[in-house]
Amino acid sequence: MEVIIPLILNGCSMIMISSLSLRKSMAGGNPYSQPLKHFQFIGISFMLAMMLMTYCISHDEHNAKLKKPGKTFFEKLRDNSGKIFAISWFLLVLTLIPGIGVKVGGARRWLNLPGFRFQPLEFMLFALPIFMADRLTDENTIINRGDFHSFVRPTLTVIIMVGLILMGQPNLGGTIIASAICLVMHIERRGWKFPLMVFMLNAVMAILFINFAPYLIAEYRMRRVRAFLDPWEDPTNTGYQIIQGLVAFANGSLTGVGIGKGLQEDVYLPEAATDYIFPAIGEEFGLVGTMFLVLLYAIWTWRGFYIYKNAKTPFTKSLALGLVCSVIFPMFVNAAGVMKLMPLTGIPMPFISSGGSSMLFMWLKVGLLMCIKVESRDFKDE
């Protein structure tokens, strides 16, 4: 189920993106260009995930046959967790450098690589659970895990390191997701006392920001905040995207208008293949279609939680929880943004939105989860 459900979500994504491309091709252009590109990303990502799982299994099986086994796959992963995190953080920093970071829609979140654009946030959300799991289960820091120092190192330090760079892009959604992953993993390992304080502080800061931001920051940075508070104040500009997303949901009603018949996605709905693919699905397949997707995510989360509960070591247990959170939190942030439950943040819908960076690292997370599952089964069989 851990692999089958993402494949089903990929299938839904292919259907939706093909529908979008065919509608747009009526005005000219190649109707197969975007679906084929998306299919390539899915295929490459899936193969890399399976290669990761195969390497993990074969590596540990090879070690088991030796008289003096070497380090397991996860032991090696722990040894390199700091390097993986450092590389992901450095790539995030590069997005802020003019001429290197690509500015799209007023935010610097991308790097230009040969043939495609790369979003370092997705790499960070892959590296973060690995790094946090290693640091939180480090025996040298577990002795005093109840004091504030154990919260500062590593949790609060990592949140600040990552959050400052992401807010500099700016990327509110990425900051929320990265912080939430760190806090949940900390709660699982070291308790809820200090993370609860951070949650409350963030809530107060969010309220103050919404009320006083117009007096503190530039006008152009307030557009999404104003659109969230009242999109109908400027329905043809700042509130346009949110309104069209809500109209798409309304058009879909219970069962949808039918595949390829969505009016919003064809004419009015911006970014229908990426940020706003959830409303596009809602219009063509209705409440039934969107609830089907939510059910798939719920089942996958349950399976991920099962892997977490049965993990062999504290490191793999914490890692499994972080990986599941790094998939499910973006889903909630995306859905909440397009349904006007929170300001729109530009976070893609996992396994569904068009985009190579997101698809690649989502599947690598699935590959790591499968490695944890295989390791826990082997441990039970011993």
Side-chain angles (χ1 to χ4, degrees):
M1 295 296 287
E2 297 82 5
V3 175
I4 294 174
I5 289 177
L7 284 174
I8 295 174
L9 291 171
N10 283 165
C12 297
S13 175
M14 282 299 305
I15 293 172
M16 197 66 239
I17 290 176
S18 298
S19 171
L20 291 168
S21 299
L22 290 173
R23 294 292 298 274
K24 290 180 179 179
S25 68
M26 295 178 183
N30 185 354
Y32 306 107
S33 176
Q34 191 173 7
L36 286 175
K37 185 177 181 180
H38 189 58
F39 182 75
Q40 286 179 330
F41 282 134
I42 292 174
I44 293 172
S45 302
F46 176 77
M47 286 190 295
L48 288 175
M50 295 303 102
M51 288 172 62
L52 175 63
M53 187 175 70
T54 302
Y55 171 77
C56 169
I57 296 171
S58 61
H59 179 274
D60 291 348
E61 286 180 349
H62 175 72
N63 284 345
K65 294 178 182 179
L66 300 177
K67 294 182 179 180
K68 295 182 179 180
K71 290 185 176 181
T72 66
F73 170 79
F74 286 109
E75 287 172 340
K76 287 190 173 182
L77 187 64
R78 289 197 69 168
D79 291 343
N80 292 283
S81 63
K83 297 177 183 177
I84 297 172
F85 176 77
I87 293 172
S88 65
W89 187 82
F90 177 71
L91 291 174
L92 273 182
V93 174
L94 289 181
T95 62
L96 303 180
I97 301 176
I100 299 179
V102 179
K103 193 172 185 178
V104 179
R108 293 185 180 275
R109 303 180 185 179
W110 303 84
L111 296 176
N112 267 335
L113 296 179
F116 68 99
R117 285 180 179 174
F118 174 70
Q119 189 172 21
L121 172 63
E122 300 297 341
F123 185 17
M124 172 57 73
L125 295 182
F126 174 74
L128 194 59
I130 301 173
F131 181 75
M132 287 297 297
D134 174 49
R135 294 300 183 267
L136 288 171
T137 56
D138 185 358
E139 294 183 359
N140 295 324
T141 61
I142 291 179
I143 298 176
N144 298 317
R145 66 180 185 178
D147 60 13
F148 185 69
H149 183 266
S150 70
F151 177 62
V152 174
R153 297 182 59 188
T155 309
L156 188 58
T157 302
V158 172
I159 289 175
I160 293 173
M161 284 181 62
V162 177
L164 287 176
I165 303 301
L166 290 175
M167 289 307 293
Q169 291 182 343
N171 192 336
L172 176 62
T175 306
I176 293 173
I177 293 170
S179 300
I181 291 170
C182 293
L183 292 173
V184 169
M185 293 180 72
H186 182 95
I187 291 170
E188 188 270 339
R189 284 286 102 193
R190 300 183 181 180
W192 56 268
K193 180 179 179 181
F194 297 109
L196 181 61
M197 293 170 56
V198 174
F199 276 124
M200 294 176 64
L201 179 62
N202 286 340
V204 172
M205 290 177 64
I207 294 172
L208 292 174
F209 175 79
I210 290 174
N211 286 278
F212 296 102
Y215 308 101
L216 301 176
I217 60 178
E219 172 68 16
Y220 74 94
R221 292 187 183 274
M222 280 301 300
R223 289 176 182 173
R224 285 188 175 180
V225 177
R226 287 203 310 270
F228 167 68
L229 295 174
D230 186 10
W232 288 272
E233 178 186 354
D234 188 5
T236 61
N237 188 12
T238 57
Y240 180 81
Q241 199 170 20
I242 292 179
I243 291 173
Q244 298 309 319
L246 295 176
V247 170
F249 282 120
N251 287 346
S253 187
L254 182 62
T255 57
V257 298
I259 186 170
K261 299 179 180 179
L263 178 63
Q264 290 300 112
E265 68 182 45
D266 184 37
V267 181
Y268 303 108
L269 189 61
E271 307 295 339
T274 53
D275 299 350
Y276 268 73
I277 196 167
F278 196 52
I281 293 173
E283 183 179 25
E284 293 202 351
F285 297 95
L287 181 64
V288 173
T290 54
M291 286 299 99
F292 173 70
L293 295 183
V294 172
L295 178 62
L296 289 178
Y297 282 117
I299 296 173
W300 189 88
T301 304
W302 169 69
R303 292 301 303 172
F305 185 76
Y306 176 82
I307 294 174
Y308 153 72
K309 293 292 290 184
N310 291 277
K312 175 181 175 181
T313 65
F315 170 73
T316 53
K317 185 180 287 288
S318 184
L319 175 59
L321 178 64
L323 291 172
V324 172
C325 290
S326 68
V327 173
I328 296 304
F329 288 171
M331 185 274 291
F332 279 114
V333 170
N334 177 279
V338 299
M339 292 191 293
K340 198 186 170 295
L341 299 177
M342 65 175 290
L344 185 65
T345 59
I347 297 296
M349 183 67 77
F351 301 110
I352 295 181
S353 292
S354 176
S357 302
S358 174
M359 192 66 68
L360 171 62
F361 287 104
M362 286 296 168
W363 269 110
L364 288 179
K365 293 169 190 176
V366 172
L368 264 185
L369 273 175
M370 294 305 296
C371 292
I372 297 172
K373 181 179 181 179
V374 171
E375 184 193 46
S376 62
R377 282 182 175 177
D378 291 343
F379 178 68
K380 290 180 180 179
D381 293 339
E382 291 178 357

